[in-house]
């Protein structure tokens, strides 16, 4: 396994940016801070292969030996996210092309087309050379392939590969024409060569083409990962291989589908909010990563759902146009919130802040000020805290399953939808936020995942619902489960074709409602609800066909008409929410749905602003993580031993502002 028995602590280490004289100090400081894993070589291609086929490994030999002598293990990266200038000069046809047909130039990173044969060959060559030299190095704990797969391309290599992928998916042109509804706007294809990637076009693009392109490109990047992985596995099957997932609504990767192909799900997380939103996002990403890991382990057929926070920022939150300095204690809270949700440690971008380069002011464990700094002291304290938590194990307590589906997210963002504010990820985040504030543990699941043990299933705008998914949801509910589905769930099939007969299509009968018309709201608009709350983004004309009305619209054209309904289906219950409730209303609603499903919050007595996450392992008992996200002291009734302070807690934990406790419960 990649860990040394303790939780991992460390980050991206770029010795190639420093003279050799700094390396010994790096290792000494790493030891002082408790660092036990570093990623090396991520962007070192031009230093490792200064000319085609000429390798300079002497410096990397020295670095790995130094780290090994210092007891620090290495996640060795393949540097394929940043080809050297000689590669771009020799292979201009492997530079990426935008949807507008503009070929991008060298000068940043990630300037390659992942479908270009020359790029794939060069990437495999450098990965193979690294494998030959280091696959049995004693410092090697993990291979980290590439960095944050997420680029796209519209060149001719890509177009050819797209056609091959489409032929494989659809079989023949008749099936493709049917799936893409090419009878609309005279788009019927009579030859495969007529099909291109969805390049810039005159007006709205074909939704089926857009959706298939996203799926194809995720598969193409996955193929690029897999060929490196297979080579690294072959060199030494004992060393696990992964790649670090980048998150964001622009990312053309279906991370869930990749999860079975990595030995360890690894995610990079950089919250974009400065306020409590950063903690909400941290909780969501931790749950997402765990969900992918569980899904992946089922796919691989092993029993590990371990995952790793591979990168995070020690002391900054990057928002649009500004870097916000994290308040004291926040780095620790964010890191331990990931550990609470199953991360095997906390890794950072980056170890030491560089003197130049595009990211010279990005966050680092050793900042420009050097080790005599608040950041380094906090990092050292975090290292010690992480090593005190080595015993934590087991499953996160969660009675709610929240469904996430990348393809629904892609399809909802297509142009030509009735609103440009439809967003599966935002709907997922809103539902998760409501559950988080209400104190319920939540697992992220994918359509088709086993639902045993969950009392409540939440579908946040699950727009693409194929027949299998509809059946999966139906069996869960009629078998006694509780469901809460939000607007636009069930509306389209897997090709993004609208299901006829009234929305929400595939789920209409289960939910006991029929929707004839949408009422998308303007950006600054909201609708009042009869329970005193408000709705945003969306509203509908909804007719119950068996469901009971729980909340109605109040005022405006929808005055008195149903907004939220509940339906008894088989031995289960199905709620339908036809708008996006404001946060407080959503929280009350999910609390009610969870309670009526028989669930209780993880720590029912926790005061507002205190987050609680429980891990349980059959052999060891449980661990309760408590996070005080407020700026006042908080008292939380609980019993056990606080592993961070090694003190017994008989009645209650006293959490200082921003404080964390991890109790071994008895
Ligand atoms: C990502 C990348 C890193 C770096 C950081 C900056 O995590 O993997 O190389 O660019 O973002 O925040």
């Amino acid at each position: 396994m990649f860990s040394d028995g303790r939780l991992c602590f460390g980050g991206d280490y770029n010795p190639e940016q420093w003279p050799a004289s700094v390396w010994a100090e790096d290792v000494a400081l790493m030891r002082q801070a408790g660092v036990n894993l570093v990623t090396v070589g991520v962007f070192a291609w031009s230093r490792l292969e200064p000319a085609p086929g000429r390798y300079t490994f002497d410096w990397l030999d020295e670095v790995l030996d130094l780290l090994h002598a210092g007891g620090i293990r290495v996640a060795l990266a393949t540097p394929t996210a940043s080809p050297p200038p000689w590669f771009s000069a020799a292979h201009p046809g492997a530079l990426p092309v935008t949807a507008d047909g503009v070929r991008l130039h060298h000068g940043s990173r990630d300037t390659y087309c992942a479908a270009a044969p020359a790029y794939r060959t060069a990437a495999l060559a450098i990965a193979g050379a690294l494998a030959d030299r280091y696959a049995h190095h004693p410092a090697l704990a993990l291979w980290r392939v590439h960095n944050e797969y997420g680029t796209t391309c519209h060149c001719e290599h890509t177009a050819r590969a797209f056609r091959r992928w489409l032929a494989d998916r659809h079989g023949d042109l008749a099936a493709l024409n049917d799936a893409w509804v090419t009878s609309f706007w005279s788009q019927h294809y009579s030859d495969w060569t007529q099909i291109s990637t969805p390049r810039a076009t005159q007006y709205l693009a074909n939704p089926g083409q857009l959706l298939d392109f996203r799926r194809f490109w995720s598969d193409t990047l996955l193929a690029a990962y897999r060929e490196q992985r297979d080579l690294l596995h072959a060199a030494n099957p004992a060393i696990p291989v992964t790649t670090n997932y980048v998150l964001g609504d622009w990312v053309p990767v279906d991370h869930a589908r990749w999860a079975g192909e990595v030995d360890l799900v690894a995610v990079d997380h950089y919250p974009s909010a400065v306020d409590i939103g950063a903690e909400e996002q941290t909780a969501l990403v931790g749950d997402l990563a765990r969900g992918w890991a569980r899904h992946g382990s089922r796919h691989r057929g092993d029993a590990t759902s371990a995952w790793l926070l591979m990168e995070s920022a020690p002391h900054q939150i990057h928002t649009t146009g500004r870097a916000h300095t994290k308040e004291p204690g926040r780095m620790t809270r964010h890191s331990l919130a990931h550990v609470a949700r199953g991360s095997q440690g906390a890794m950072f971008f980056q170890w030491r802040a560089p003197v130049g380069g595009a990211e010279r002011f990005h966050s680092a464990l050793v900042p420009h000020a050097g080790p005599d700094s608040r950041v380094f002291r906090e990092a050292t304290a975090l290292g010690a805290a992480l090593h005190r938590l080595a015993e934590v194990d087991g499953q996160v307590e969660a009675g709610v399953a929240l469904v996430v589906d990348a393809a629904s997210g892609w399809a909802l963002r297509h142009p030509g939808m009735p609103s440009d504010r439809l967003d599966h990820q935002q709907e997922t985040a809103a539902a998760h936020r409501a559950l988080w504030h209400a104190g319920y543990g939540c697992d992220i699941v994918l359509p088709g995942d086993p639902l045993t043990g969950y009392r409540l299933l939440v579908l946040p705008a699950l727009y693409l619902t194929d027949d299998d998914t509809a059946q999966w949801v139906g069996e869960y509910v009629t078998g006694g489960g509780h469901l809460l589905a939000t607007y636009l769930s069930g509306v389209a099939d897997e090709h993004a074709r609208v299901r006829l007969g009234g929305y929400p299509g595939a789920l209409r009968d289960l939910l006991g409602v029929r929707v004839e018309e949408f009422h998308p709201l303007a950006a600054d608009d909201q609708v009042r609800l009869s329970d005193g709350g408000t709705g945003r983004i969306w509203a509908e004309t909804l007719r119950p066909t068996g469901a009971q009305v729980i909340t109605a619209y109040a005022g405006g054209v929808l005055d008195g008409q149903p907004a939220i309904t509940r339906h008894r289906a088989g031995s289960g219950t199905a709620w339908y929410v036809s708008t996006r409730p404001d946060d407080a209303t959503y929280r009350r609603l999910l609390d009610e749905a969870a309670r009526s499903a028989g669930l209780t919050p993880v720590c029912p007595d926790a005061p507002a602003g205190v987050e609680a996450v429980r891990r349980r392992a059959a052999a060891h008992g449980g661990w309760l993580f408590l996070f005080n996200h407020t700026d006042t002291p908080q008292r939380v009734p609980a019993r056990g031993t606080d592993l961070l302070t090694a003190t017994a807690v008989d009645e209650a934990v006293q959490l200082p502002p921003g404080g964390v406790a991890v109790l071994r419960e008895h």
Side-chain angles (χ1 to χ4, degrees):
M1 200 46 194
F2 69 98
S3 97
D4 63 2
R6 298 177 296 169
L7 290 170
C8 301
F9 176 50
D12 279 30
Y13 175 41
N14 303 303
E16 71 275 14
Q17 296 171 3
W18 298 93
S21 54
V22 178
W23 301 345
E25 184 194 313
D26 281 329
V27 174
L29 288 175
M30 286 174 189
R31 288 174 62 83
Q32 185 183 330
V35 165
N36 60 353
L37 181 71
V38 289
T39 300
V40 180
V42 188
F43 295 112
W45 195 344
S46 66
R47 283 291 300 274
L48 292 168
E49 191 183 2
R54 184 163 73 75
Y55 299 109
T56 46
F57 288 133
D58 47 326
W59 67 271
L60 188 53
D61 293 348
E62 195 180 330
V63 167
L64 294 199
D65 291 348
L66 263 176
L67 289 165
H68 181 59
I72 296 155
R73 292 153 66 86
V74 171
L76 190 56
T78 65
T80 51
S82 206
W86 61 254
F87 174 81
S88 306
H91 304 284
L95 286 166
V97 174
T98 66
D100 292 338
V102 175
R103 196 174 282 280
L104 300 178
H105 291 273
H106 199 90
S108 180
R109 64 178 179 190
D110 283 305
T111 31
Y112 54 82
C113 163
Y119 168 74
R120 295 276 278 269
T121 303
L124 273 183
I126 182 70
L130 284 164
D132 287 347
R133 191 157 188 106
Y134 299 111
H136 294 277
H137 192 285
L140 183 67
L142 178 68
W143 287 106
R144 173 170 144 183
V145 172
H146 203 82
N147 188 66
E148 298 191 334
Y149 278 103
T151 52
T152 43
C153 182
H154 290 266
C155 74
E156 265 313 306
H157 299 298
T158 307
R160 276 195 293 275
F162 186 37
R163 287 177 209 122
R164 284 195 297 272
W165 183 94
L166 288 169
D168 205 37
R169 176 173 174 83
H170 295 284
D172 57 32
L173 273 178
L176 177 138
N177 280 308
D178 186 43
W180 290 8
V181 194
T182 54
S183 51
F184 190 82
W185 281 350
S186 178
Q187 290 181 348
H188 187 92
Y189 292 103
S190 54
D191 192 281
W192 289 102
T193 57
Q194 295 159 1
I195 302 174
S196 69
T197 66
R199 281 197 160 197
T201 186
Q202 184 68 10
Y203 186 42
L204 305 176
N206 181 302
Q209 182 189 15
L210 288 172
L211 183 59
D212 271 350
F213 182 69
R214 300 298 292 254
R215 289 177 168 138
F216 148 75
W217 194 249
S218 178
D219 285 357
T220 301
L221 294 177
L222 180 60
Y225 161 78
R226 282 170 61 167
E227 64 195 18
Q228 287 198 40
R229 178 203 63 189
D230 293 348
L231 180 155
L232 299 168
H233 270 164
N236 183 353
I239 304 293
V241 183
T242 190
T243 183
N244 51 328
Y245 288 2
V246 58
L247 310 178
D249 53 15
W250 56 274
V251 178
V253 167
D254 186 341
H255 292 125
R257 285 171 58 90
W258 286 46
E261 306 282 348
V262 294
D263 295 324
L264 169 75
V265 165
V267 302
D268 296 351
H269 184 231
Y270 299 92
S272 57
V274 163
D275 56 10
I276 189 73
E279 281 71 31
E280 295 165 352
Q281 291 175 8
T282 298
L284 172 59
V285 166
D287 286 340
L288 265 172
R290 189 176 71 257
W292 290 327
R294 208 179 328 98
H295 183 77
S297 79
R298 255 195 309 276
H299 185 269
R300 285 191 309 269
D302 59 38
T304 159
S305 55
W307 65 277
L308 181 64
L309 174 68
M310 186 59 101
E311 286 185 30
S312 56
H315 61 100
Q316 287 172 345
I317 294 174
H318 279 268
T319 62
T320 312
R322 180 180 79 95
H324 170 87
T325 300
K326 284 190 188 176
E327 297 73 6
R330 217 167 180 194
M331 161 164 72
T332 298
R333 282 211 316 287
H334 287 172
S335 301
L336 297 190
H338 283 296
V339 169
R341 290 179 166 76
S343 174
Q344 301 297 293
M347 303 283 290
F348 292 88
F349 177 84
Q350 53 196 321
W351 166 249
R352 196 187 268 279
V355 297
E359 294 185 335
R360 60 211 175 283
F361 287 110
H362 272 249
S363 197
L365 293 167
V366 182
H368 287 140
D372 181 12
S373 57
R374 195 250 319 170
V375 177
F376 187 72
R377 281 186 286 277
E378 210 173 296
T380 305
L382 172 61
L386 286 167
H387 296 323
R388 283 186 211 114
L389 301 182
E391 67 175 59
V392 175
D393 194 11
Q395 301 300 315
V396 173
E397 196 176 277
V400 183
L402 176 62
V403 179
V404 172
D405 174 48
S408 283
W410 296 338
L412 274 183
R413 272 194 296 276
H414 287 166
M417 293 296 286
S419 163
D420 59 8
R421 299 167 68 221
L422 304 173
D423 191 322
H424 174 66
Q425 285 178 328
Q426 291 297 328
E427 287 304 323
T428 302
H432 190 272
R433 188 162 67 235
L435 289 162
W436 186 77
H437 281 284
Y440 293 95
C442 171
D443 276 349
I444 304 289
V445 300
L446 282 108
D449 277 354
L451 294 173
T452 317
Y454 299 116
R455 299 293 307 144
L456 175 63
L457 177 69
V458 180
L459 307 186
L462 187 72
Y463 180 61
L464 302 184
T465 305
D466 61 17
D467 293 347
D468 288 348
T469 302
Q471 190 184 344
W472 171 73
V473 177
E475 283 172 2
Y476 171 76
V477 176
T478 50
H482 291 238
L483 167 74
L484 186 142
T486 82
Y487 66 91
L488 283 172
S489 296
V491 165
D493 70 7
E494 64 273 31
H495 301 297
R497 295 177 303 201
V498 177
R499 290 175 176 276
L500 301 179
Y503 319 115
L507 303 175
R508 204 167 47 220
D509 294 342
L510 191 68
L511 294 163
V513 297
R514 184 163 178 273
V515 174
E516 289 177 27
E517 281 183 276
F518 301 142
H519 296 270
L521 304 179
D524 48 1
D525 233 7
Q526 52 184 36
V527 280
R528 283 191 293 115
L529 301 173
S530 59
D531 60 5
T534 54
R536 291 186 303 113
I537 301 175
W538 195 257
E540 291 174 341
T541 309
L542 188 160
R543 183 158 57 82
T545 54
Q548 175 195 354
V549 180
I550 302 297
T551 305
Y553 290 106
V557 291
L558 293 175
D559 187 41
Q561 299 200 37
I564 300 173
T565 59
R566 192 174 55 203
H567 185 224
R568 195 83 195 137
S571 18
T573 301
W575 300 71
Y576 181 63
V577 184
S578 66
T579 183
R580 159 80 80 74
D582 64 83
D583 279 2
T585 304
Y586 209 172
R587 176 185 167 169
R588 276 198 308 274
L589 175 66
L590 274 168
D591 191 36
E592 190 187 336
R595 279 178 205 276
S596 65
L599 294 169
T600 45
V602 174
C603 187
D605 300 325
V610 171
E611 172 186 2
V613 183
R614 183 175 279 111
R615 297 273 293 276
R616 281 194 194 286
H620 307 276
W623 293 269
L624 180 65
F625 286 71
L626 295 167
F627 302 89
N628 180 1
H629 297 305
T630 75
D631 52 13
T632 53
Q634 299 290 348
R635 179 180 185 279
V636 190
R639 295 160 69 88
T641 303
D642 185 354
L643 300 179
L644 296 176
T645 55
T647 52
V649 174
D650 295 330
E651 265 179 42
V653 186
Q654 303 289 345
L655 289 171
V660 186
V662 184
L663 300 190
R664 181 198 300 132
E665 296 186 304
H666 304 305

